[in-house]
Amino acid sequence: ACDNQLKERTVGRLVNKATKYIVAPICKLERDATGILLLTNDNDLFLKLSNPKHEFEKIFQLELDKPLKQEDLEKTTQGIRLPSGGWAKAESISYIKGNQHSIGVEIFNNKPKILEKMFNLLGYKIKKTDRVSFAGITKKNLSRGEYRKLSETEIVQLKMLG
């Protein structure tokens, strides 16, 4: 029963007592991903940050099913042609603590599942995804399932983006 309860935990249930406002997630995470998720009741900010035309920095820690070869690491920053005809590119990428299964990736692309598409085209499967930063906002030592309210400074910074 405990496993099912954990699987059924949703962001809405976690934050429903945090605010009296109805909030919406900006740039949702895949169901099996972890990490920072911004929620807002500010419609203008929501529209700005979730618009695919406005690309904001996102930093992910990924765990791959096999070691990432150096040449594939380099391909991600050069750009990978997608079957749709578009391109996907990491702004930066590096191994985490020398472990070639674990990598840090910085991207600006807002398209859903873009990391999965990139790595699948290179022959890798992503086992774990953790978004550690979104538009300069970090988790600031929060554990999984915890939340915090943004500071006034952080809100102003988000509103000034783009």
Side-chain angles (χ1 to χ4, degrees):
C2 290
D3 286 339
N4 287 337
Q5 288 173 341
L6 288 176
K7 287 180 184 176
E8 295 302 316
R9 285 190 346 180
T10 63
V11 172
R13 287 184 183 160
L14 290 171
V15 299
N16 69 353
K17 294 179 182 169
T19 181
K20 62 184 177 183
Y21 301 104
I22 296 173
V23 293
I26 300 170
C27 291
K28 298 175 184 176
L29 286 170
E30 297 299 321
R31 188 155 184 82
D32 57 349
T34 60
I36 188 168
L37 179 64
L38 297 180
L39 301 152
T40 186
N41 67 328
D42 182 326
N43 193 50
D44 291 336
L45 185 62
F46 174 83
L47 292 173
K48 178 181 187 176
L49 294 177
S50 61
N51 187 332
K53 293 179 183 177
H54 299 261
E55 296 181 339
F56 303 102
E57 172 208 54
K58 288 166 281 307
I59 300 174
F60 293 86
Q61 288 183 358
L62 305 177
E63 184 179 319
L64 303 177
D65 64 336
K66 59 186 176 184
L68 180 65
K69 296 176 190 170
Q70 182 66 37
E71 65 258 24
D72 290 336
L73 182 138
E74 292 169 6
K75 286 178 186 176
T76 64
T77 58
Q78 294 165 359
I80 298 170
R81 188 154 183 81
L82 301 172
S84 64
W87 287 86
K89 178 181 182 272
E91 291 303 310
S92 65
I93 184 169
S94 62
Y95 300 116
I96 298 175
K97 297 180 184 173
N99 180 346
Q100 292 181 317
H101 283 84
S102 298
I103 56 171
V105 181
E106 177 186 12
I107 63 168
F108 282 80
N109 193 310
N110 280 341
K111 294 179 181 141
K113 297 190 177 191
I114 195 68
L115 288 171
E116 183 180 331
K117 291 173 186 175
M118 284 174 60
F119 286 97
N120 284 349
L121 287 169
L122 292 171
Y124 300 88
K125 299 277 186 235
I126 298 174
K127 290 171 55 177
K128 290 184 183 176
T129 303
D130 185 31
R131 184 165 55 193
V132 296
S133 177
F134 177 84
I137 305 296
T138 66
K139 296 188 290 186
K140 288 195 176 181
N141 300 321
L142 290 177
S143 297
R144 187 173 180 186
E146 292 183 333
Y147 60 88
R148 69 176 180 87
K149 293 185 179 184
L150 296 180
S151 69
E152 288 299 319
T153 302
E154 290 171 319
I155 293 169
V156 168
Q157 287 173 339
L158 288 173
K159 289 183 176 187
M160 291 175 61
L161 288 173

